[in-house]
Amino acid sequence: MSYELHYWPTIPGRGEFVRLALEAAGAPYTDVARRAGDAGEALATTLQGLQRSKLPNPPFAAPYLKDGDFVVGQTAAILAYLAPTLKLVSRSEQLRVWTQQIQLTIADMVTEAHDTHHPLGADLYYEDQKPEALRRATGFCRDRIPKFLQWFEHIVQHNTAGPRHLVGGKLSYADLSLFQLMEGLAYAFPQATARALAKTPGIVDLRDRVAALPRVRAYLQSERRIPFNEEGIFRRYPELDIP
């Protein structure tokens, strides 16, 4: 049975973390809002799934995943649901919880990256909050990027199974999500990210190993991979990239 991923058709955003897991595992799925045919109708299908009158337990926002009649929202929850089937998490309950903790921390950093260009609220344009954005981005680039990346570096370097992965001795969804986070940071804040990554060689090596995985490499080179752009979470505004 093919999974249905519901997300916006033109941005990588939070949906990309789910796509990477599905692609790395070779799982069959339909990216509903991007499927061939009437793009408007496909997007309408995704929006219908967010209408509270349709389901007793509707997702709050995209992305959400349909597995037959079962619907799950929230990126971290989707990944935790998929991971056992996709073999992207340990069988150990303790390591599963640890993997989810890492994923939730990644989600925290994703939110902070978004808030650099929308510190006052998503209902305003970036141009309406530039002074506040610059102040927020300054702290993010100088303090938060190094703090988060050094935490991930500590995890890699102290993994009892070796420094090739974040958790245990095999690929997990946390590895894939950290790769996507690092790619997004490098796009939006190339100078600040390069400075922080110079001090975190372990996660740089991890990023490169993930990119070289055959299924991931094929996906990254395909049209299914949506480029970063200034409509998504990670946006390149050079004035916010504080060296």
Side-chain angles (χ1 to χ4, degrees), residues 223-235:
E223 294 184 356
R224 299 190 303 281
R225 170 76 164 182
I226 304 173
F228 292 106
N229 57 66
E230 276 56 68
E231 296 179 356
I233 294 170
F234 299 102
R235 304 187 186 187

Side-chain angles (χ1 to χ4, degrees), residues 21-22 24-25 83-90 99 170-174 176:
L22 293 165
T85 301
L86 302 186
K87 301 187 186 307
L88 289 174
V89 73
S90 171
T99 307
K170 63 186 292 291
L171 182 73
S172 73
Y173 66 88
L176 296 163

Side-chain angles (χ1 to χ4, degrees), residues 211-230:
L213 293 170
R215 285 173 177 160
V216 173
R217 184 174 65 246
Y219 169 62
L220 297 177
Q221 295 171 351
S222 75
E223 294 184 356
R224 299 190 303 281
R225 170 76 164 182
I226 304 173
F228 292 106
N229 57 66
E230 276 56 68

